[in-house]
Amino acid sequence: MAILNLFVPKDRKFFPLFEASTLNLVEISNVFYEMLKCNDVQKRKEMTRTIEDLEHVGDKLSHSIFNELNLSFITPFDREDIHALTSAIDNVVDNIHGAAKRIDIYKVEEIDESMVKLGELIRMGSEELHKAVTLLKNNKKTAEISACCVKINTIENHADDVFDMTIGRLFEVEKDAIKLIKIKEILSTMETATDMCEDAANVIQSIIIKHA
Amino acid sequence: MAILNLFVPKDRKFFPLFEASTLNLVEISNVFYEMLKCNDVQKRKEMTRTIEDLEHVGDKLSHSIFNELNLSFITPFDREDIHALTSAIDNVVDNIHGAAKRIDIYKVEEIDESMVKLGELIRMGSEELHKAVTLLKNNKKTAEISACCVKINTIENHADDVFDMTIGRLFEVEKDAIKLIKIKEILSTMETATDMCEDAANVIQSIIIKHA
Amino acid sequence: MAILNLFVPKDRKFFPLFEASTLNLVEISNVFYEMLKCNDVQKRKEMTRTIEDLEHVGDKLSHSIFNELNLSFITPFDREDIHALTSAIDNVVDNIHGAAKRIDIYKVEEIDESMVKLGELIRMGSEELHKAVTLLKNNKKTAEISACCVKINTIENHADDVFDMTIGRLFEVEKDAIKLIKIKEILSTMETATDMCEDAANVIQSIIIKHA
């Protein structure tokens, strides 16, 4: 019982921080998706600033998790998994922010249909990640968590296909090299966001295996 | 003796998986090298698909190693080294696949001589890596394993020189920015493949030092 | 007392190696900053070679730390922190070297004012990092070490702003795509150097927290 008491308080610390992190990610991915569907350059600029603010919130949450990790003797799962999951969530956020910032800095006027598609996939992946993290505190939900991870893998594969096809087409039709550089880099940053989401899912799957 | 018995079964799990991984890498690097020497665009497309299939095989092997790692209490060497070695091998494969895919998607018609040279270096590095991994299960072969790692380092330095020289020349002669972007990115992905090979060699050397 | 004796000799090994690493980094960042302020292409070439030599010195120091780590049972702080700090210092050096090499290979004639600014920030960050590492062996200096880390964070934010502004302007004024690719890549490598400096600072802060 004493051991259980030592364990439980940690759960009360880590799980809410993880859930807050992925909830923040869901919010960022929603703002980003709205931004991609918006034609008003000025409004897009404002949404980029919102994403920036939310990124700072995410940084603080990651910082809290790392502090907690350094101060805790007992953790709900392996220290390196907590570290890897936090970093992966952080990387998804960073790449969404990076894509939004580039759209702003590069003064992109028309958002390509493929970007909206990738934005939707990032949003879907973020939601599955939040769902998986929320279920993680209940160690009876292994099958449901696994299903989320499988979905994230499918989403990443889909994003890969959209990216490859779009890049192939871009090199065929876009003769303005500078415009090509801009679009290619934004698409690539978005595709990396889905990769990082898959990284997070892989950490979650390894946590599940260890606790099975 | 009982401890030895606990140890041996693990050897039977990890070493065959590592050997299968690097053997798969050797196969991929061979197909890639043949592809670079092939003038027929259609045949190159087919070889890209073969590389893609072999990459999936590699992914499954990595997945098996990670699963084994999560389920095993005793491992033939440090858990983080198993993880790092698996990831490094995976990264070599990913970068070979990435280079092949770009040649296809970017519709590159003529393969530059420097790409064939880098392809040869990747193939040589992959073979040394496979040799080192195969020797790893015999802890008397330290000198031979070290020799493989030294060779991989030399190969990486050579690839660096080829890359730098080619990029320097490219910026001097290529006036078509879009063509330059394509070639630069393919060369860079190939050079990263040799870096990742060196990363794997570094993990192997640290395993040797710990068990000396 | 016996335990203390076991501990102290390790301190004698790791701390001097860390200090030599960051001192080497400070030297590299100074040569690089001088190089950015130099108008003579030939002299810049020589300085690039000096940076290359110092990078090899850094590689050897990192190698010594990793060897020491593999051979030591007792370390002054967590093994993964020693590994992460060494890698981060190495990454700062690699990115400075990468930027210098590109200036040489791309035959950049005029060094942009923004590059000099970023070079200055890299130099400042390297000095703070060296100061923090030097203080690390004295576990009473927590507040001073923290102050260095905070400064490194501020420097990284400043570098981010310089980079974003410069890239935005570059895409507005530079119509030569090949020239744009060159400058963008050099700036980006420099900005990554400050990111890696921040990574090192984050490792140091987590070491401090654990030993508080």
PDB file of all heavy atoms in Angstrom, chain C residues 19 53 57 60 88 91 106 111 120 141 153-154 190 192 194:
ATOM      1  N   GLU C  19      36.037  21.092 -19.965  1.00  0.00           N
ATOM      2  CA  GLU C  19      36.573  22.456 -20.065  1.00  0.00           C
ATOM      3  C   GLU C  19      37.417  22.625 -21.325  1.00  0.00           C
ATOM      4  O   GLU C  19      37.355  23.658 -21.987  1.00  0.00           O
ATOM      5  CB  GLU C  19      37.405  22.787 -18.816  1.00  0.00           C
ATOM      6  CG  GLU C  19      36.533  23.081 -17.603  1.00  0.00           C
ATOM      7  CD  GLU C  19      37.364  23.584 -16.412  1.00  0.00           C
ATOM      8  OE1 GLU C  19      38.279  24.392 -16.623  1.00  0.00           O
ATOM      9  OE2 GLU C  19      37.072  23.129 -15.301  1.00  0.00           O
ATOM     10  N   ASP C  53      40.983  22.278 -38.389  1.00  0.00           N
ATOM     11  CA  ASP C  53      41.948  21.654 -37.470  1.00  0.00           C
ATOM     12  C   ASP C  53      41.388  21.617 -36.047  1.00  0.00           C
ATOM     13  O   ASP C  53      41.502  20.602 -35.353  1.00  0.00           O
ATOM     14  CB  ASP C  53      43.276  22.433 -37.481  1.00  0.00           C
ATOM     15  CG  ASP C  53      44.008  22.294 -38.823  1.00  0.00           C
ATOM     16  OD1 ASP C  53      43.679  21.353 -39.580  1.00  0.00           O
ATOM     17  OD2 ASP C  53      44.884  23.128 -39.119  1.00  0.00           O
ATOM     18  N   VAL C  57      40.446  18.589 -33.216  1.00  0.00           N
ATOM     19  CA  VAL C  57      40.796  18.606 -31.791  1.00  0.00           C
ATOM     20  C   VAL C  57      39.540  18.320 -30.962  1.00  0.00           C
ATOM     21  O   VAL C  57      39.563  17.484 -30.037  1.00  0.00           O
ATOM     22  CB  VAL C  57      41.410  19.978 -31.387  1.00  0.00           C
ATOM     23  CG1 VAL C  57      41.616  20.053 -29.875  1.00  0.00           C
ATOM     24  CG2 VAL C  57      42.723  20.222 -32.134  1.00  0.00           C
ATOM     25  N   LYS C  60      38.497  14.702 -31.076  1.00  0.00           N
ATOM     26  CA  LYS C  60      39.333  13.858 -30.217  1.00  0.00           C
ATOM     27  C   LYS C  60      38.926  13.997 -28.752  1.00  0.00           C
ATOM     28  O   LYS C  60      38.912  13.010 -28.012  1.00  0.00           O
ATOM     29  CB  LYS C  60      40.811  14.213 -30.399  1.00  0.00           C
ATOM     30  CG  LYS C  60      41.392  13.447 -31.587  1.00  0.00           C
ATOM     31  CD  LYS C  60      42.864  13.715 -31.777  1.00  0.00           C
ATOM     32  CE  LYS C  60      43.287  13.235 -33.169  1.00  0.00           C
ATOM     33  NZ  LYS C  60      44.461  13.954 -33.680  1.00  0.00           N
ATOM     34  N   ALA C  88      26.147  17.777 -27.632  1.00  0.00           N
ATOM     35  CA  ALA C  88      25.670  19.137 -27.908  1.00  0.00           C
ATOM     36  C   ALA C  88      26.844  20.068 -28.218  1.00  0.00           C
ATOM     37  O   ALA C  88      26.790  20.849 -29.177  1.00  0.00           O
ATOM     38  CB  ALA C  88      24.855  19.658 -26.718  1.00  0.00           C
ATOM     39  N   ASN C  91      28.017  19.355 -31.579  1.00  0.00           N
ATOM     40  CA  ASN C  91      27.104  19.873 -32.605  1.00  0.00           C
ATOM     41  C   ASN C  91      27.285  21.365 -32.857  1.00  0.00           C
ATOM     42  O   ASN C  91      27.146  21.819 -33.987  1.00  0.00           O
ATOM     43  CB  ASN C  91      25.648  19.589 -32.222  1.00  0.00           C
ATOM     44  CG  ASN C  91      25.298  18.121 -32.340  1.00  0.00           C
ATOM     45  OD1 ASN C  91      25.967  17.377 -33.072  1.00  0.00           O
ATOM     46  ND2 ASN C  91      24.274  17.683 -31.637  1.00  0.00           N
ATOM     47  N   TYR C 106      31.083  27.592 -51.469  1.00  0.00           N
ATOM     48  CA  TYR C 106      30.131  28.342 -52.301  1.00  0.00           C
ATOM     49  C   TYR C 106      30.766  29.607 -52.882  1.00  0.00           C
ATOM     50  O   TYR C 106      30.109  30.369 -53.573  1.00  0.00           O
ATOM     51  CB  TYR C 106      28.889  28.736 -51.483  1.00  0.00           C
ATOM     52  CG  TYR C 106      28.038  27.583 -51.007  1.00  0.00           C
ATOM     53  CD1 TYR C 106      26.964  27.800 -50.143  1.00  0.00           C
ATOM     54  CD2 TYR C 106      28.281  26.273 -51.426  1.00  0.00           C
ATOM     55  CE1 TYR C 106      26.177  26.753 -49.694  1.00  0.00           C
ATOM     56  CE2 TYR C 106      27.494  25.221 -50.970  1.00  0.00           C
ATOM     57  CZ  TYR C 106      26.452  25.473 -50.104  1.00  0.00           C
ATOM     58  OH  TYR C 106      25.669  24.442 -49.646  1.00  0.00           O
ATOM     59  N   ILE C 111      30.440  39.060 -47.300  1.00  0.00           N
ATOM     60  CA  ILE C 111      29.766  38.526 -46.115  1.00  0.00           C
ATOM     61  C   ILE C 111      28.700  39.525 -45.673  1.00  0.00           C
ATOM     62  O   ILE C 111      28.997  40.699 -45.398  1.00  0.00           O
ATOM     63  CB  ILE C 111      30.774  38.294 -44.965  1.00  0.00           C
ATOM     64  CG1 ILE C 111      31.918  37.376 -45.414  1.00  0.00           C
ATOM     65  CG2 ILE C 111      30.077  37.723 -43.741  1.00  0.00           C
ATOM     66  CD1 ILE C 111      31.551  35.949 -45.661  1.00  0.00           C
ATOM     67  N   GLU C 120      28.656  36.822 -34.095  1.00  0.00           N
ATOM     68  CA  GLU C 120      28.889  37.421 -32.777  1.00  0.00           C
ATOM     69  C   GLU C 120      28.050  36.705 -31.707  1.00  0.00           C
ATOM     70  O   GLU C 120      28.541  36.434 -30.600  1.00  0.00           O
ATOM     71  CB  GLU C 120      28.527  38.913 -32.823  1.00  0.00           C
ATOM     72  CG  GLU C 120      29.208  39.725 -31.736  1.00  0.00           C
ATOM     73  CD  GLU C 120      28.671  41.146 -31.674  1.00  0.00           C
ATOM     74  OE1 GLU C 120      27.966  41.579 -32.630  1.00  0.00           O
ATOM     75  OE2 GLU C 120      28.941  41.832 -30.662  1.00  0.00           O
ATOM     76  N   LYS C 141      27.929  26.823  -7.124  1.00  0.00           N
ATOM     77  CA  LYS C 141      27.781  27.942  -8.058  1.00  0.00           C
ATOM     78  C   LYS C 141      26.490  27.879  -8.882  1.00  0.00           C
ATOM     79  O   LYS C 141      26.430  28.407 -10.000  1.00  0.00           O
ATOM     80  CB  LYS C 141      28.989  27.963  -9.020  1.00  0.00           C
ATOM     81  CG  LYS C 141      30.342  28.084  -8.342  1.00  0.00           C
ATOM     82  CD  LYS C 141      30.581  29.511  -7.863  1.00  0.00           C
ATOM     83  CE  LYS C 141      32.027  29.659  -7.417  1.00  0.00           C
ATOM     84  NZ  LYS C 141      32.289  31.016  -6.903  1.00  0.00           N
ATOM     85  N   ASN C 153      19.975  31.162 -23.584  1.00  0.00           N
ATOM     86  CA  ASN C 153      18.604  31.155 -24.103  1.00  0.00           C
ATOM     87  C   ASN C 153      18.259  32.481 -24.770  1.00  0.00           C
ATOM     88  O   ASN C 153      17.657  32.499 -25.844  1.00  0.00           O
ATOM     89  CB  ASN C 153      17.609  30.860 -22.969  1.00  0.00           C
ATOM     90  CG  ASN C 153      17.406  29.369 -22.773  1.00  0.00           C
ATOM     91  OD1 ASN C 153      16.561  28.772 -23.416  1.00  0.00           O
ATOM     92  ND2 ASN C 153      18.212  28.751 -21.941  1.00  0.00           N
ATOM     93  N   THR C 154      18.635  33.573 -24.135  1.00  0.00           N
ATOM     94  CA  THR C 154      18.385  34.899 -24.704  1.00  0.00           C
ATOM     95  C   THR C 154      19.122  35.061 -26.032  1.00  0.00           C
ATOM     96  O   THR C 154      18.566  35.584 -27.007  1.00  0.00           O
ATOM     97  CB  THR C 154      18.856  35.992 -23.707  1.00  0.00           C
ATOM     98  OG1 THR C 154      18.279  35.709 -22.433  1.00  0.00           O
ATOM     99  CG2 THR C 154      18.436  37.377 -24.164  1.00  0.00           C
ATOM    100  N   MET C 190      24.292  28.597 -39.248  1.00  0.00           N
ATOM    101  CA  MET C 190      24.699  29.434 -38.111  1.00  0.00           C
ATOM    102  C   MET C 190      23.613  29.477 -37.041  1.00  0.00           C
ATOM    103  O   MET C 190      23.913  29.417 -35.845  1.00  0.00           O
ATOM    104  CB  MET C 190      25.031  30.848 -38.597  1.00  0.00           C
ATOM    105  CG  MET C 190      26.271  30.897 -39.471  1.00  0.00           C
ATOM    106  SD  MET C 190      26.576  32.552 -40.160  1.00  0.00           S
ATOM    107  CE  MET C 190      27.313  33.342 -38.720  1.00  0.00           C
ATOM    108  N   THR C 192      21.440  27.184 -36.460  1.00  0.00           N
ATOM    109  CA  THR C 192      21.448  25.875 -35.807  1.00  0.00           C
ATOM    110  C   THR C 192      22.565  25.801 -34.753  1.00  0.00           C
ATOM    111  O   THR C 192      22.383  25.163 -33.710  1.00  0.00           O
ATOM    112  CB  THR C 192      21.627  24.746 -36.848  1.00  0.00           C
ATOM    113  OG1 THR C 192      20.603  24.871 -37.829  1.00  0.00           O
ATOM    114  CG2 THR C 192      21.525  23.373 -36.211  1.00  0.00           C
ATOM    115  N   THR C 194      23.458  28.128 -32.761  1.00  0.00           N
ATOM    116  CA  THR C 194      22.935  28.709 -31.507  1.00  0.00           C
ATOM    117  C   THR C 194      21.894  27.784 -30.868  1.00  0.00           C
ATOM    118  O   THR C 194      21.781  27.727 -29.643  1.00  0.00           O
ATOM    119  CB  THR C 194      22.340  30.125 -31.713  1.00  0.00           C
ATOM    120  OG1 THR C 194      21.198  30.056 -32.564  1.00  0.00           O
ATOM    121  CG2 THR C 194      23.364  31.078 -32.323  1.00  0.00           C
TER     122      THR C 194
END
